[in-house]
C-alpha cells in the first residue's frame, strides 16, 4: 500500500466520481481506477460499489474513510516537526481547541508558555469536540481544551476555568430594564446560539439552562463562533447566550452583558489529555494553566460593574 493509493481513495471518496477524482489529482482516469483496484485487492474488500450511473462507498469503504485522513494528518505533523526543528524549536506541544477559545486567559497562557519555554513550539488545532477526542486517542494532539467532560474512556477531563453564562443584549433593548434578567423574559425574544455541531460542549451548557424553562426558545440563528454571535446581537437581530469572557472581549460596541436572574450559571472549560503520565513538557504546560486560574486572572478588557454588567453598559 502506497500513499498514492490513499490519495486516490480520498479523491474518489470525496467526489464519488472517478473522472472528477482523476481531474482533481491531475491524472488520467485509467491509473486512478488501477490504483483503487490495487488497494481493494490488498485489503481484500470492495471499497466502492460502482455502476454505469453512480459510485458510492461500501460499508468497508466508509470505515476505511474514517482512518485514512489521519495518515495524512500524521504525515503533515511529521513534516512540520522537521521544519520546527530546523527553525530552532526542540520540542512541540500540539494543542486542540473546541467550543471556541476562552479569550481572557488563552493569550496570557500562550505568552507565558513562550516566555518560559521558548524552545517549545505550540501548535494549535481548532476543531469540533468529537474530532479532538479522536485525535487525542490517535496521538495527533497532546492536550486540548473544551467545554465538556463527556469524553469517554481513556481521556482525562480536568476543570480549569469557570466563566459566568450571561445574556448578550443589543444596546437600547427593552429587556435592559432588568439588571438581572429572568430566563422566561429572555425567551420572549429571538436568540442566536452556537451551532452544536461546531461548539458541542458550549451548546450543551446553554441547552441545560434553556431546559429549565417551560417555554420553547425562538432560535433566530445558529452560528459557528461567539464572534459572529456578537455581530448579530450588536445588529439588534437577537439576544445571545454565552460566557462573560466572550462578551467582554467582543469588539462590537453596541452589546451589553447582563446576568441571568437566580443562581449563577457557569460555563466550565476542561483541559483534556490522554490517560497516563504526561511528558515533562506537558506537565509544565498543565501547571501553567492551573497557576493562571489560581491567580484569579480574568483578562477583562472592559471594567465590570457591581451588578455584573460590563463596560459596554454605556451604550445602553
Amino acid at each position: 500500500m502506497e500513499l498514492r493509493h490513499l490519495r486516490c481513495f480520498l479523491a474518489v471518496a470525496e467526489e464519488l466520481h472517478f473522472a472528477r477524482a482523476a481531474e482533481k489529482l491531475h491524472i488520467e482516469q485509467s491509473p486512478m481506477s488501477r490504483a483503487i483496484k490495487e488497494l481493494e485487492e490488498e485489503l481484500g474488500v470492495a471499497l466502492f460499489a460502482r455502476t454505469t450511473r453512480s459510485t458510492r462507498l461500501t460499508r468497508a469503504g466508509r470505515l476505511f474513510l474514517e482512518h485514512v485522513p489521519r495518515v495524512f494528518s500524521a504525515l503533515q505533523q511529521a513534516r512540520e516537526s522537521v521544519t520546527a526543528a530546523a527553525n530552532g524549536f526542540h520540542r512541540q506541544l500540539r494543542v486542540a481547541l473546541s467550543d471556541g477559545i476562552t479569550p481572557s486567559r488563552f493569550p496570557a497562557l500562550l505568552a507565558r508558555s513562550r516566555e518560559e519555554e521558548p524552545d517549545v513550539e505550540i501548535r494549535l488545532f481548532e476543531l469540533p469536540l468529537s474530532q479532538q477526542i479522536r485525535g487525542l486517542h490517535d496521538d495527533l494532539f497532546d492536550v486540548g481544551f473544551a467545554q465538556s467532560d463527556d469524553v469517554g474512556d481513556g481521556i482525562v477531563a480536568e476543570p480549569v476555568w469557570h466563566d459566568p453564562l450571561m445574556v448578550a443584549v443589543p444596546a437600547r433593548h427593552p429587556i435592559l430594564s432588568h439588571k438581572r434578567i429572568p430566563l422566561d423574559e429572555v425567551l420572549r425574544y429571538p436568540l442566536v446560539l452556537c451551532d452544536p455541531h461546531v461548539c458541542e460542549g458550549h451548546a450543551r451548557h446553554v441547552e441545560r439552562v434553556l431546559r429549565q424553562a417551560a417555554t420553547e426558545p425562538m432560535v433566530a440563528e445558529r452560528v459557528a463562533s461567539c464572534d459572529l454571535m456578537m455581530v448579530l446581537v450588536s445588529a439588534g437581530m437577537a439576544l445571545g447566550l454565552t460566557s462573560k469572557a466572550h462578551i467582554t472581549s467582543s469588539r462590537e460596541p453596541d452589546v451589553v452583558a447582563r446576568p441571568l436572574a437566580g443562581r449563577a450559571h457557569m460555563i466550565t472549560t476542561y483541559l483534556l489529555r490522554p490517560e497516563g503520565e504526561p511528558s515533562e513538557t506537558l506537565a509544565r504546560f498543565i501547571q501553567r494553566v492551573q497557576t493562571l486560574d489560581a491567580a484569579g486572572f480574568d483578562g477583562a478588557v472592559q471594567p465590570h460593574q457591581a451588578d455584573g454588567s460590563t463596560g459596554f453598559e454605556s451604550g445602553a
Side-chain angles (χ1 to χ4, degrees):
M1 189 183 302
E2 301 174 12
L3 285 176
R4 66 181 179 87
H5 292 120
L6 301 183
R7 289 194 181 97
C8 289
F9 169 77
L10 275 182
V12 178
E14 290 169 356
E15 298 294 332
L16 293 180
H17 192 283
F18 274 73
R20 288 199 298 269
E23 184 178 349
K24 184 175 184 177
L25 295 183
H26 307 290
I27 62 175
E28 298 294 325
Q29 186 172 340
S30 177
M32 167 72 75
S33 299
R34 186 164 57 250
I36 296 299
K37 182 178 179 182
E38 290 171 356
L39 183 59
E40 290 178 324
E41 288 176 351
E42 166 124 0
L43 294 171
V45 295
L47 298 172
F48 297 97
R50 285 157 277 188
T51 68
T52 54
R53 293 186 176 183
S54 68
T55 298
R56 62 179 178 82
L57 284 161
T58 62
R59 182 175 181 276
R62 290 194 299 273
L63 291 172
F64 196 55
L65 182 59
E66 292 181 9
H67 296 277
V68 171
R70 304 180 206 173
V71 175
F72 291 100
S73 294
L75 180 61
Q76 183 63 25
Q77 288 194 12
R79 288 172 174 160
E80 291 172 353
S81 295
V82 171
T83 302
N87 291 334
F89 293 108
H90 298 158
R91 288 160 294 164
Q92 190 178 78
L93 200 59
R94 302 161 299 172
V95 182
L97 304 168
S98 303
D99 301 315
I101 301 168
T102 303
S104 59
R105 297 179 180 88
F106 209 75
L109 174 62
L110 293 180
R112 186 175 296 178
S113 297
R114 179 69 170 165
E115 178 183 353
E116 294 178 1
E117 294 190 275
D119 62 333
V120 176
E121 181 194 31
I122 295 182
R123 299 190 54 227
L124 305 178
F125 303 83
E126 198 167 11
L127 68 177
L129 177 60
S130 58
Q131 293 182 31
Q132 177 180 157
I133 293 171
R134 193 179 305 130
L136 288 168
H137 279 295
D138 293 343
D139 193 32
L140 294 178
F141 313 124
D142 301 300
V143 66
F145 293 90
Q147 290 174 354
S148 175
D149 61 351
D150 185 11
V151 294
D153 297 332
I155 302 295
V156 176
E158 177 185 352
V160 288
W161 299 329
H162 306 277
D163 293 289
L165 177 67
M166 300 190 79
V167 187
V169 185
R172 295 172 292 280
H173 193 285
I175 205 171
L176 290 174
S177 60
H178 298 273
K179 291 299 182 183
R180 304 182 70 86
I181 307 175
L183 181 57
D184 289 340
E185 188 69 17
V186 172
L187 296 181
R188 291 181 53 211
Y189 299 95
L191 299 178
V192 54
L193 303 176
C194 285
D195 187 336
H197 295 100
V198 180
C199 306
E200 184 178 341
H202 183 282
R204 286 180 191 169
H205 276 288
V206 174
E207 181 63 27
R208 281 195 292 268
V209 173
L210 294 177
R211 281 202 301 263
Q212 295 177 12
T215 307
E216 190 72 19
M218 297 181 289
V219 180
E221 195 75 47
R222 293 192 182 274
V223 295
S225 71
C226 288
D227 288 339
L228 182 53
M229 179 190 293
M230 293 304 103
V231 170
L232 299 182
V233 171
S234 180
M237 296 178 61
L239 306 181
L241 282 171
T242 188
S243 70
K244 178 180 180 179
H246 276 109
I247 300 174
T248 56
S249 66
S250 171
R251 296 180 181 178
E252 299 301 324
D254 295 323
V255 177
V256 178
R258 284 286 170 82
L260 286 165
R263 70 179 183 87
H265 299 278
M266 307 299 290
I267 291 184
T268 301
T269 298
Y270 297 87
L271 183 146
L272 310 184
R273 64 174 179 84
E275 286 183 346
E277 194 68 24
S279 68
E280 291 184 4
T281 300
L282 178 54
R284 285 192 295 271
F285 181 80
I286 294 171
Q287 185 178 27
R288 221 169 279 134
V289 173
Q290 295 167 336
T291 303
L292 190 70
D293 196 51
F297 179 85
D298 63 14
V301 297
Q302 298 287 343
H304 290 82
Q305 311 298 329
D307 65 357
S309 60
T310 73
F312 295 127
E313 185 67 47
S314 59

